[in-house]
Amino acid sequence: MVQKKFEEDSKFAGDWDLDGDGEVTDAEVEHAKEIKKTETELRKNLAQLRMARFTLMAMGAFTLAMFFVPIERVTALADISNLFTYLAQALWAVT
């Protein structure tokens, strides 16, 4: 196994030197990469969850509002309703 050392003021030394011995092993580098990958996937999943929740709330509010809107306006807003449906389907397909 190859040992690696960072410079004195390296910003990576704290993140990659997991056991704090001052040397970074291949295993520590791989582990740090896995942690970064997992964090990135978590951020992506949370963003998708927020988008899906917002879309569902907006669809519910739009549907509820249609009960209080005159029928002439409902027919004019039918295309927007379809847009909400397509957006929700796209978000659920991604997640």
Side-chain angles (χ1 to χ4, degrees), residues 27-80:
E28 287 176 325
V29 171
E30 288 300 317
H31 193 260
K33 286 180 183 179
E34 288 176 18
I35 290 172
K36 293 288 184 184
K37 181 181 175 185
T38 303
E39 288 174 351
T40 302
E41 289 175 0
L42 179 62
R43 274 191 236 105
K44 177 185 169 189
N45 290 340
L46 287 174
Q48 288 176 345
L49 181 63
R50 286 186 197 115
M51 287 187 288
R53 284 181 180 166
F54 177 76
T55 302
L56 289 175
M57 287 187 289
M59 287 175 62
F62 184 81
T63 303
L64 184 64
M66 289 298 105
F67 287 108
F68 304 105
V69 174
I71 194 70
E72 297 83 24
R73 289 190 180 190
V74 170
T75 56
L77 294 173
D79 292 332
I80 294 175

